[in-house]
Every structure is written in structure tokens, then in C-alpha cells.
């Protein structure tokens, strides 16, 4: 029985581009809001914000090169492309993938640094955060290196004429390692999502507030879901017969994962921006945040109780009480240095 020929007009690129640029626009907008909040409103930018900026740059470069690759034919069947366009399409996709790996690794560092700010530099949990984010970043860098050294010369990755004379690894080596990186990345996202629960329970605030914060910080669970879905698309890497068409789901879910991680790194920091937009007194917000975000020892708690009693007598607690009823006294977790 004759093999079914693919439809030469079939093109997944429009769907791919629509999804990529919708999620990229959302994450980039939220990142801009976070940077405005941290540097302009709070004037308290830190290393976590610098890491986020780098993440956004890596993500934009990844999506730009992916867009260029679709102009050459990614999303269409390989048989429908000219040899020259097929070479350029796969080359641009390879470059996009390199930036994409960094785009889902570096935001994890931003989240970890934010959590370290929350815990304080003396908390032992920081070493766990440094370890998981550091190792997943190293694993990501190695995957980029493996991608471009698996064949000598490297042009064999996208040029069949060169590949015929090149020396390449067994394709399963990179595929298996990519499975590992994807699974470890999902584990890292899960750890960053649940770790705040152990921190929040030491904060001096209402149970309802603690649960709300944990839900906000736990948005990383969505990144875990994206990572798992992306892993299911990895077998398409081995499909060299129709590479430009078969790898589209992998590109799509990679982009979604990258942007979801950036989005999750931004949302917990945007509370002061909402206060700013509502025209409230930010000074009272800063005071409440700086006093309420840290775990307290017994002496500090006794001192704070005395201060609260004095404040009630003087009638100066109205702003703090209104803030307690609001939703913003916990969102700027990096205010205290």
C-alpha cells in the first residue's frame, strides 16, 4: 500500500506564532510591571530583578529566532521546502532552542533569589534553593553545548550534504539527556512552588493571608504542568524525516513553559504597583511590609506587641489596620535587604 503523502499546504506556523507571541506579550508586560515596581516605586531592585531582566531578554531572543525559522519553513512539511529554506529553518530553530533553554533556567534563579530575600540570608534553606537552581542551570548549559557539539562539523545539524560526511553522536544520547533536563526542570519548578509554604508558616499574619500568599507563590505548578507536557513531545526530536513539521509541538510547549515561569516570577511582586495605581500611601505600605515579612524571634515579637499597644493608644494604627484588611502587605517580598 502506498504511503500517504503529506499535504504540502499544511502549515502549523500561524498557530505556533499566535501562541508564542500571546504568552510572550503577557510575560514581558508583567516583567516590565515588576521592574517598574521594584526600581521606580520601591527603589529596591535586587539581584533577582537582574536575573529576571536577563530571562526576558533570553526569552525574546528565543521567540525572535523561532519566528525567523517559521519564515523559512518551520511548521511546514520538510518535503514542501526548498533545500536552502530547510537548512535555514533548522539552523534558526537550533539557535532559538539555545536561547530558550536559558529562558526557562534563569527565571528559576530569579524566584530562588526572591525567596532568599524573604527568608533572610541566614536561613539554611537558601542552600537548597541555590543547589536546585544552580544545578538545573548547569544542566541547561550542558544541553546547549551538547546540541552544538554532537556533530562535527556543526553545520551537519542542519545541512544534509554536510551530515553525509560528518561524525555525529547517536541521536539517543541528546534525546535521553533532554528527557533528564526536562524532568529535572519540572522537579525544580515544583520545589520552588511548594517551598514558600514552609516559609510562610513562620510569618506573623492571619491564616487566610498565609494561604493566599502560598497560592500566589505556588503558581509555579503551572510551569510544572507545561514541563511535563513538553517532555511528551521530545520523541519528535528524533524524527528527521519531517523535522520542520514534527517539532512544532515541542517549540510551542517550550515557549509556553518559558513564559509561564517568567509570569510566575513576576506576579507575587506586583502588589505595591496596585497600591500605587490606587493612589494609596506607599509609606505605610513600606512600613507594614518591612515589619511583617520576616519570621520573628520571641524578643522581637514582644517588642512589636509593645509598639502595637502604644500605636493603638495614640490612635495611629488606622493605616496599618486598613492595610491588614487589604491584599498588599505581603506581595513585595524583596523590600527588606
Amino acid at each position: 500500500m502506498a504511503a500517504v503523502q503529506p499535504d504540502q499546504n499544511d502549515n502549523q506556523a500561524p498557530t505556533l506564532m499566535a501562541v508564542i507571541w500571546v504568552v510572550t506579550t503577557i510575560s514581558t508586560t508583567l516583567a516590565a510591571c515588576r521592574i517598574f515596581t521594584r526600581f521606580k516605586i520601591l527603589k529596591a531592585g535586587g539581584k533577582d530583578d537582574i536575573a529576571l531582566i536577563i530571562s526576558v531578554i533570553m526569552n525574546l531572543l528565543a521567540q525572535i529566532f523561532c519566528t525567523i525559522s517559521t519564515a523559512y519553513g518551520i511548521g511546514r512539511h520538510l518535503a514542501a521546502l526548498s533545500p536552502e529554506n530547510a537548512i535555514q529553518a533548522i539552523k534558526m530553530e537550533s539557535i532559538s532552542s539555545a536561547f530558550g533553554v536559558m529562558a526557562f533556567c534563569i527565571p528559576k534563579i530569579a524566584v530562588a533569589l526572591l525567596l532568599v530575600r524573604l527568608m533572610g540570608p541566614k536561613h539554611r534553606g537558601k542552600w537548597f534553593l541555590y543547589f536546585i537552581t544552580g544545578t538545573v542551570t548547569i544542566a541547561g548549559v550542558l544541553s546547549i553545548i551538547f546540541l552544538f557539539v554532537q556533530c562535527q562539523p556543526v553545520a551537519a545539524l542542519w545541512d544534509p550534504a554536510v551530515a553525509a560526511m560528518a561524525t555525529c553522536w547517536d541521536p539517543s544520547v541528546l534525546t535521553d539527556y533532554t528527557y533528564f533536563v526536562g524532568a529535572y526542570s519540572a522537579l525544580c519548578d515544583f520545589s520552588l512552588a511548594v517551598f514558600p509554604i514552609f516559609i510562610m508558616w513562620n510569618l506573623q499574619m492571619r491564616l487566610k493571608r498565609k494561604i493566599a500568599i502560598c497560592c500566589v507563590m505556588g503558581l509555579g505548578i503551572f510551569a510544572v504542568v507545561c514541563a511535563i507536557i513538553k517532555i511528551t513531545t521530545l520523541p519528535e526530536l528524533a524524527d528527521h524525516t519531517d523535522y520542520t513539521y514534527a517539532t512544532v509541538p515541542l517549540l510551542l510547549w517550550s515557549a509556553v513553559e518559558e513564559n509561564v515561569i517568567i509570569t510566575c516570577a513576576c506576579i507575587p511582586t506586583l502588589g505595591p504597583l496596585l497600591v500605587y495605581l490606587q493612589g494609596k500611601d506607599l509609606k505605610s505600605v513600606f512600613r507594614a511590609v518591612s515589619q511583617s515579612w520576616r519570621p520573628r524571634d520571641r524578643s522581637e515579637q514582644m517588642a512589636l506587641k509593645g509598639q502595637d499597644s502604644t500605636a493603638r493608644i495614640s490612635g495611629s494604627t488606622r493605616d496599618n489596620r486598613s492595610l491588614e484588611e487589604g491584599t498588599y502587605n505581603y506581595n513585595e517580598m524583596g523590600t527588606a535587604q
Side-chain angles (χ1 to χ4, degrees):
M1 181 177 179
V4 177
Q5 294 298 317
D7 183 355
Q8 301 296 306
N9 295 319
D10 194 4
N11 189 359
Q12 299 182 85
T15 300
L16 176 64
M17 288 296 95
V19 173
I20 281 180
W21 286 109
V22 166
V23 295
T24 299
T25 299
I26 293 172
S27 69
T28 304
T29 300
L30 290 175
C33 291
R34 168 177 170 154
I35 298 307
F36 178 80
T37 300
R38 302 282 291 133
F39 286 91
K40 181 67 175 179
I41 299 177
L42 298 173
K43 302 186 187 304
K47 295 178 181 179
D48 51 327
D49 302 297
I50 301 301
L52 185 80
I53 292 172
I54 296 173
S55 304
V56 172
I57 293 172
M58 293 294 104
N59 182 49
L60 287 173
L61 288 172
Q63 310 321 329
I64 288 171
F65 277 101
C66 185
T67 302
I68 295 173
S69 73
T70 62
Y72 283 109
I74 288 294
R76 299 179 62 194
H77 291 287
L78 187 60
L81 305 180
S82 67
E84 295 78 12
N85 282 347
I87 290 172
Q88 290 301 317
I90 298 173
K91 183 178 181 179
M92 293 300 106
E93 181 186 326
S94 299
I95 297 173
S96 172
S97 297
F99 286 116
V101 169
M102 290 293 94
F104 75 73
C105 287
I106 300 178
K108 296 175 176 41
I109 298 176
V111 174
L113 292 174
L114 178 63
L115 292 174
V116 170
R117 279 188 173 223
L118 173 64
M119 297 183 300
K122 295 182 180 180
H123 197 290
R124 289 180 296 179
K126 70 178 182 180
W127 297 113
F128 170 73
L129 296 175
Y130 290 155
F131 174 78
I132 60 171
T133 54
T135 51
V136 77
T137 301
I138 292 172
V141 172
L142 288 176
S143 72
I144 296 173
I145 295 174
F146 293 163
L147 171 64
F148 290 105
V149 303
Q150 63 177 312
C151 285
Q152 294 298 324
V154 67
L157 293 175
W158 47 77
D159 191 338
V162 178
M165 301 177 291
T167 302
C168 296
W169 299 353
D170 187 313
S172 65
V173 174
L174 184 62
T175 302
D176 291 345
Y177 184 74
T178 305
Y179 271 112
F180 163 74
V181 174
Y184 191 47
S185 175
L187 176 63
C188 182
D189 289 331
F190 179 79
S191 299
L192 293 175
V194 302
F195 191 83
I197 296 176
F198 301 99
I199 302 173
M200 294 301 150
W201 244 245
N202 292 322
L203 296 181
Q204 303 301 311
M205 61 177 64
R206 296 177 180 178
L207 178 61
K208 184 184 296 185
R209 187 67 45 78
K210 291 179 181 180
I211 294 174
I213 299 173
C214 290
C215 289
V216 172
M217 294 298 294
L219 291 174
I221 292 295
F222 290 106
V224 177
V225 174
C226 293
I228 293 173
I229 296 175
K230 184 183 75 172
I231 291 173
T232 65
T233 68
L234 290 178
E236 305 303 335
L237 285 173
D239 185 1
H240 295 284
T241 60
D242 199 9
Y243 188 87
T244 55
Y245 187 87
T247 56
V248 168
L250 175 60
L251 293 174
L252 188 150
W253 283 105
S254 295
V256 172
E257 180 192 12
E258 295 153 15
N259 285 282
V260 166
I261 296 172
I262 293 174
T263 298
C264 293
C266 295
I267 290 177
T269 67
L270 299 182
L273 177 61
L274 299 180
V275 177
Y276 176 81
L277 295 176
Q278 292 178 5
K280 294 188 176 180
D281 180 12
L282 285 178
K283 290 184 179 180
S284 64
V285 177
F286 299 157
R287 287 196 298 269
V289 170
S290 63
Q291 292 176 3
S292 67
W293 70 274
R294 291 187 298 116
R296 308 290 184 180
D297 58 30
R298 182 173 296 276
S299 61
E300 286 179 299
Q301 292 178 27
M302 295 300 294
L304 285 175
K305 288 180 180 178
Q307 293 173 8
D308 288 343
S309 298
T310 302
R312 289 190 186 96
I313 293 174
S314 63
S316 63
T317 60
R318 181 171 52 188
D319 289 340
N320 285 337
R321 187 179 301 112
S322 63
L323 187 61
E324 174 67 16
E325 295 302 323
T327 59
Y328 310 116
N329 64 330
Y330 54 81
N331 282 310
E332 178 34 50
M333 298 180 184
T335 299
Q337 301 294 331

